[in-house]
Amino acid sequence: MAVTVTLLGRSLVTSRLCGCVSLSKRLYCSSAKRVRVRDALTSLETGSTFRIQGWVRSVRSQKHNLFLHVSDGSSLQPLQVVASSDLNTRDLTFGCAVDITGSLEKSPSNKQNVELQASRIEVVGECNPVDFPFKIKGHHSLEYIRQFPHLRCRTNAFSSLLRIRSQATAAIHSYFRDNNFLQIHTPVITSNDCEGAGELFQVEPAGNEWNSDKENPHFFSVPAYLTVSGQLHLEVMAGAFPAVYTFGPTFRAENSQTRRHLAEFYMVEAEIAFTESLKDLMKIMEGLFKTTTENLLSHCAEDMELFHKYVSPGYMEQVDLMMKRNFNVISYTEAIDILKHSSEQFAFKPEWGCDLQTEHEKYIVQHCGNVPVFVTDYPYELKPFYARDNQDQPQHTAAAVDLLVPGVGELCGGSLREERLELLRTRLAQAGLEDTYAWYLQLREFGSVPHGGFGMGFERYLQCVLGIDNIKDTIPFARFSHSCVL
Amino acid sequence: MAVTVTLLGRSLVTSRLCGCVSLSKRLYCSSAKRVRVRDALTSLETGSTFRIQGWVRSVRSQKHNLFLHVSDGSSLQPLQVVASSDLNTRDLTFGCAVDITGSLEKSPSNKQNVELQASRIEVVGECNPVDFPFKIKGHHSLEYIRQFPHLRCRTNAFSSLLRIRSQATAAIHSYFRDNNFLQIHTPVITSNDCEGAGELFQVEPAGNEWNSDKENPHFFSVPAYLTVSGQLHLEVMAGAFPAVYTFGPTFRAENSQTRRHLAEFYMVEAEIAFTESLKDLMKIMEGLFKTTTENLLSHCAEDMELFHKYVSPGYMEQVDLMMKRNFNVISYTEAIDILKHSSEQFAFKPEWGCDLQTEHEKYIVQHCGNVPVFVTDYPYELKPFYARDNQDQPQHTAAAVDLLVPGVGELCGGSLREERLELLRTRLAQAGLEDTYAWYLQLREFGSVPHGGFGMGFERYLQCVLGIDNIKDTIPFARFSHSCVL
């Protein structure tokens, strides 16, 4: 016999909600279709029996009825589950894992399109609300949840971040594939101490007393480091392929705990053969930024909105601005002029020949209307040996370019590479590196081509499009000095 | 005046091939469309003027005409370039880089559809054929080219490998995305010494005397290692998402130089929440293998053929067999029975309770008709603490599964994970690891769900589908004991 009760101004047939354990057990084992919350939310199959599995985000118990919000990580929005209060149990708490069967019905509320009218609710994993560090009504800051790296993915904000990060990763791969770049897995362990030592991690087998064996002190026979850039390895490939890229972890043993630095972070790096102009590189950088961001705005709208509403209110306008406008291009020399003519009091005095500091970079971006700006043609002496000599005078510059963006400062750095054997040999010899980079010189000896490339910090990109202040909130497991949890 | 010469039985208007330097210079700067070799080879726009840039793979000079094969890495097949011998120069040698403009024409030969009739040939990077380690008519073995990690991408075999590797990477990402897995960047640096120490790399900043500062001996305050698996970090995520995966570098400080081991290699790892059966995992593993391989066979047919013809002749049949047949499933106990009843003389005697050796794995695969075989339910004592207890008797097993494949042996390993708090706590306590894995126990304390996952060695996968004997020939820059070149 069907008993009708009134619930929030609507009728429910209670026999569908309770007392049908044997039916629900059967459904559980066989006919009920398992669906993700995201698919249930947009399903047109109202009236169908579905099974969902996820974690409880809220519990509200009324006299006759029980309301749950259940999330399974497939979307920010949870699924509302309605059940007879008979199905309530003591272990049905915030954070517990549930397995629920019910009928998907049109929701009478305008907060959601559909809701699941549950006939079976099984708690598969309990969650003691006293011990669980997140509370049902708590508004936990990014800083607070950062203390629980093994649990923070269970919060709305961090699960949104992880969905965005996954989508951004896929979008970046798509961008390069659509433009016919080959993906190269550049090595993590390398014997290059690259841009002249400093802040490298070194690796040896654990438990070995380093250098204790004087004859054979290293596992790899030579000192080995964690990569700070895949560029040189990509340049190898630019001697055989038209365009290559890598997207992987990169390391700096920087003893800093700022909002801007991680010891392990992700870099997107690209190298293009037969390129003779910084314009080619800038086109690719701007394309990468805009295509990826466009992809996120259309595929992760809800998750992006969380950040633009609650984490960095009003930031959507900044993103809109970056998407609509062409990126600016100025030379380093122009940038120094702008800084010198500004009334701003800088901690570091801007001077031709000196590196731009973060304060300078941020000022330049503001000066350019908070639209990203490419700064080109840096002083030759500031750039590493591989940067291509512009052979200009009197202000001797190299064909290098940085992309500066709002909030972050430097997002990308790139250059044409010195492909001319004799110029490169001379510069390496001056630095005493001719032997170390004999292999690199050979790339120019055998079928050298004009080429260039750039790198983009992936976490800084996420900071820039989401308005995230602290870089530690953009990566699943943050590593920095004095911290390597898990 | 157009002078007609006979060339390989066909007519060419020589005025199109030479003496038009001023025209070609104009084309070079403006109207000639830059195309990749791959696109030129399939272009229908015969009669059009194109510009191609690449490296010379062969030079053949006749009295009136010059034939080049030019490759730019976009395809295995080079583009044939035909020119008047007037355009020949001393520096037009095997390996040099060229920039060529010409008219794309239907080729009279059946070796190629089209050829480029060049009006301009510029050598942009010379290549001294005496010093260049690869010779124009040399058939260089994989072992030989391995000595030149900065140049081997310029050989046919290794450029094919790199195209296949890039495509396989993309195919694996597609497979997981199509099945709604979230990609997680699990960390490279970790404080877990995972499956009980042994063969880990440790990291500290370079130049530091380790442990010299007794107060603060470590950069991360704790010993930090290079990851051997992202599994535990994925399990964190399986507490908030229905399905996650990672695909990145993994490390073993194994002091071996075999055909089967690298110190740095790539692993694909997946973790699925709300999974209660090994069948679910096996379905995903088989799907991953077959979908990826199908993708390679359709997108990299030419490159695959190179390996199946020249590197591992006849291997295509093996690949066909793996694609056509359902993978076998046997239990570990059955596998031991098969081994015990075999007449094969094994170096290690097969015995219930002992690990399967590579020789055993290869025998099992052969026994199953050279079709991949899943071996399930290994002895409980052989498996790490996280493997789910089957609670069977008298042969006490865990819900673990390995996938064995021809040529390689173990390709994948997976298990259901022990989600039951008390069972896990007891096992960790027995191993004295309760404190170390307090965070891992918390995953079970708060909303635990049945889950499981697996890992696949990416280089072993490439060995298996390409028939490559030595794993060092499957990765751009191989790292193993005593070797970390570049």
Side-chain angles (χ1 to χ4, degrees), chain B residues 59-215:
Chain B
V59 187
R60 192 156 49 89
S61 185
Q62 293 181 342
K63 193 172 177 194
H64 296 291
N65 289 285
L66 173 70
F67 295 87
L68 304 176
H69 280 159
V70 176
S71 171
D72 67 358
S74 62
S75 66
L76 177 60
Q77 199 190 331
L79 181 65
Q80 170 150 299
V81 174
V82 189
S84 157
S85 53
D86 297 359
L87 292 189
N88 201 357
T89 54
R90 224 170 50 91
D91 53 6
L92 199 58
T93 60
F94 176 67
C96 77
V98 287
D99 188 326
I100 300 178
T101 309
S103 173
L104 194 73
E105 301 295 345
K106 203 169 155 23
S107 172
S109 157
N110 59 11
K111 284 191 184 163
Q112 61 268 323
N113 291 325
V114 293
E115 61 188 25
L116 194 74
Q117 295 183 359
S119 53
R120 180 189 66 87
I121 298 177
E122 187 193 345
V123 173
V124 298
E126 298 179 18
C127 182
N128 183 332
V130 178
D131 298 337
F132 194 49
F134 310 131
K135 302 306 168 193
I136 193 160
K137 290 208 168 147
H139 291 289
H140 307 296
S141 69
L142 291 177
E143 199 165 2
Y144 175 78
I145 66 171
R146 209 186 293 146
Q147 302 171 77
F148 309 97
H150 58 310
L151 299 172
R152 71 172 169 165
C153 57
R154 304 187 187 198
T155 64
N156 277 342
F158 209 65
S159 74
S160 280
L161 184 278
L162 290 171
R163 279 188 297 274
I164 292 168
R165 191 177 162 107
S166 179
Q167 184 66 34
T169 302
I172 287 167
H173 285 298
S174 291
Y175 176 78
F176 283 114
R177 284 183 63 76
D178 291 348
N179 287 286
N180 293 311
F181 281 68
L182 201 71
Q183 185 181 354
I184 299 292
H185 290 128
T186 52
V188 166
I189 301 176
T190 174
S191 52
N192 290 326
D193 61 358
C194 212
E195 310 173 23
E199 306 182 340
L200 286 170
F201 285 109
Q202 194 168 351
V203 294
E204 289 292 344
N208 272 19
E209 289 290 328
W210 285 29
N211 295 319
S212 64
D213 177 355
K214 291 286 172 207
E215 291 298 306

Side-chain angles (χ1 to χ4, degrees), chain A residues 296-360:
Chain A
L296 290 181
L297 290 170
S298 70
H299 289 92
C300 295
E302 198 184 45
D303 293 314
M304 297 282 278
E305 204 191 343
L306 180 146
F307 283 92
H308 295 159
K309 259 191 171 166
Y310 301 110
V311 174
S312 191
Y315 198 75
M316 188 59 210
E317 282 163 39
Q318 174 62 69
V319 176
D320 275 344
L321 187 68
M322 294 192 284
M323 292 302 285
K324 268 186 217 141
R325 298 275 293 277
N326 289 328
F327 290 4
N328 302 292
V329 186
I330 62 173
S331 70
Y332 167 87
T333 302
E334 287 168 319
I336 293 293
D337 274 354
I338 290 166
L339 294 168
K340 282 192 160 173
H341 286 93
S342 118
S343 56
E344 193 92 0
Q345 291 299 316
F346 295 113
F348 292 86
K349 193 176 164 218
E351 202 67 67
W352 204 100
C354 297
D355 243 335
L356 296 182
Q357 302 295 318
T358 304
E359 57 174 348
H360 302 150

Side-chain angles (χ1 to χ4, degrees), chain A residues 331-448:
Chain A
S331 70
Y332 167 87
T333 302
E334 287 168 319
I336 293 293
D337 274 354
I338 290 166
L339 294 168
K340 282 192 160 173
H341 286 93
S342 118
S343 56
E344 193 92 0
Q345 291 299 316
F346 295 113
F348 292 86
K349 193 176 164 218
E351 202 67 67
W352 204 100
C354 297
D355 243 335
L356 296 182
Q357 302 295 318
T358 304
E359 57 174 348
H360 302 150
E361 294 172 344
K362 289 191 173 173
Y363 181 85
I364 297 284
V365 174
Q366 267 173 9
H367 179 87
C368 294
N370 282 319
V371 175
V373 50
F374 290 109
V375 179
T376 69
D377 301 302
Y378 281 76
Y380 181 78
E381 294 301 334
L382 283 184
K383 289 293 162 184
F385 66 84
Y386 49 72
R388 194 175 198 272
D389 191 346
N390 278 331
Q391 294 189 304
D392 49 358
Q393 291 299 342
Q395 290 178 321
H396 190 185
T397 63
V401 57
D402 281 357
L403 175 59
L404 313 182
V405 297
V408 167
E410 184 188 336
L411 175 67
C412 301
S415 72
L416 299 181
R417 321 305 188 186
E418 188 56 79
E419 87 281 10
R420 294 161 294 187
L421 180 61
E422 286 317 316
L423 286 176
L424 184 63
R425 196 198 302 278
T426 305
R427 190 153 195 199
L428 281 171
Q430 280 163 359
L433 292 170
E434 214 182 338
D435 290 342
T436 310
Y437 289 101
W439 66 269
Y440 188 73
L441 281 167
Q442 283 198 349
L443 301 181
R444 275 64 175 172
E445 211 176 317
F446 303 123
S448 181

Side-chain angles (χ1 to χ4, degrees), chain B residues 268-288:
Chain B
V268 181
E269 294 180 275
E271 199 70 28
I272 301 99
F274 296 101
T275 281
E276 292 175 78
S277 133
L278 287 182
K279 276 188 195 141
D280 291 347
L281 299 184
M282 291 190 275
K283 208 174 134 190
I284 297 168
M285 286 188 242
E286 186 166 345
L288 174 64

Side-chain angles (χ1 to χ4, degrees), chain A residues 28 34 51 53 55 97 99 124-125 150 153-154, chain B residues 181 230-245 269-282 284-285 385-390 398-401 413-421 424 439-454:
Chain A
Y28 175 72
R34 266 170 70 165
R51 176 181 174 194
Q53 297 166 306
W55 294 269
D99 188 326
V124 297
H150 58 310
C153 57
R154 303 186 189 198
Chain B
F181 281 68
Q231 178 197 320
L232 301 188
H233 298 97
L234 286 185
E235 282 192 71
V236 165
M237 300 302 167
F241 298 103
V244 290
Y245 79 103
E269 294 180 275
E271 199 70 28
I272 301 99
F274 296 101
T275 281
E276 292 175 78
S277 133
L278 287 182
K279 276 188 195 141
D280 291 347
L281 299 184
M282 291 190 275
I284 297 168
M285 286 188 242
F385 65 84
Y386 51 71
R388 193 174 199 275
D389 190 346
N390 278 331
V401 57
S415 72
L416 300 181
R417 321 304 188 186
E418 188 56 79
E419 87 281 10
R420 294 161 294 185
L421 180 62
L424 185 63
W439 65 269
Y440 188 73
L441 281 167
Q442 283 198 349
L443 301 180
R444 275 63 173 172
E445 210 175 318
F446 303 124
S448 182
V449 302
H451 65 287
F454 68 91

Side-chain angles (χ1 to χ4, degrees), chain A residues 37 45 114 136 138 161 187 210 220 286 315 319 353 410 453:
Chain A
V37 164
E45 299 175 57
V114 292
I136 192 160
L161 185 277
W210 284 27
F220 292 108
E286 186 167 346
Y315 198 75
V319 176
E410 184 188 336

